[in-house]
Amino acid sequence: MLIALVLYLISFVMRLGATPSSAEVWLSVIGFVIVITSAYVGGELVYNLGTQVDRHAWRGAGAKWTGLDVTDVPPDKPVKAKAGAQTLVVVRRGAGLDALHDVCAHQGCSLSDGKIVGDAIECPCHGSRYRLRDGLVVRGPSVFDQPHYEVREAEGKLEVRRTDTR
């Protein structure tokens, strides 16, 4: 984009001169081709590859508790679970349970295939780490936090609800 800007500025300055030539037009055309190509590549990165798109931007917090489809969660091992329409990763840390949305906010990979590193879970695709207790990014390349869910045990079943961290 900087190259396109420079080409446009040179073309503009040349057009201020008294003698017209075809060089000004060609510089503008080359600048335009650079702008169009950049727009195409940017669209591919965002809309088709999902690069730097927060996959959870419009997910709101809920006040309703939803039952999980798992009952046994082994210690320090990510377990994939369903809570209604949401797919979560649940991890037992000591006596407590932590739950995050299973789809990584950065590249859309499954966090349940990741590994526990300290008090965080690491995405298997790109190495971003999210703190289990609240979903905050502790290591990039992700720049978006992961949705966090409260977990409780009620009547022998596990239930979750989204916490409001935004």
Side-chain angles (χ1 to χ4, degrees):
M1 297 307 285
L2 184 61
I3 292 170
L5 176 65
V6 169
L7 290 174
Y8 278 132
L9 289 174
I10 292 171
S11 173
F12 176 71
V13 170
M14 289 174 72
R15 288 172 197 250
L16 293 177
T19 58
S21 72
S22 63
E24 302 97 1
V25 175
W26 282 110
L27 287 173
S28 295
V29 168
I30 294 169
F32 183 72
V33 168
I34 291 172
V35 168
I36 292 298
T37 304
S38 299
Y40 176 78
V41 170
E44 283 291 311
L45 288 172
V46 172
Y47 293 109
N48 289 342
L49 298 176
T51 303
Q52 293 301 317
V53 174
D54 184 358
R55 298 175 192 297
H56 307 292
W58 292 277
R59 291 184 197 274
K64 186 175 136 190
W65 289 93
T66 306
L68 285 175
D69 66 347
V70 297
T71 54
D72 184 37
V73 179
D76 298 320
K77 181 175 178 356
V79 174
K80 185 182 277 195
K82 293 285 280 181
Q86 305 298 322
T87 304
L88 309 178
V89 58
V90 182
V91 180
R92 181 174 300 281
R93 305 285 293 165
L97 289 166
D98 292 305
L100 301 176
H101 201 280
D102 188 49
V103 177
C104 176
H106 179 67
Q107 290 285 28
C109 299
S110 177
L111 291 178
S112 60
D113 296 333
K115 63 181 178 180
I116 305 299
V117 180
D119 65 345
I121 188 163
E122 183 176 276
C123 180
C125 294
H126 55 83
S128 288
R129 292 182 187 170
Y130 303 96
R131 196 164 54 195
L132 287 166
R133 72 173 179 263
D134 53 14
L136 294 177
V137 176
V138 293
R139 186 179 92 177
S142 181
V143 294
F144 303 110
D145 296 332
Q146 194 68 14
H148 178 263
Y149 292 77
E150 289 180 79
V151 184
R152 74 175 184 186
E153 189 169 348
E155 300 174 12
K157 294 185 176 183
L158 296 176
E159 295 180 331
V160 294
R161 74 173 171 190
R162 168 90 188 264
T163 58
D164 191 12
T165 59
R166 294 177 192 228

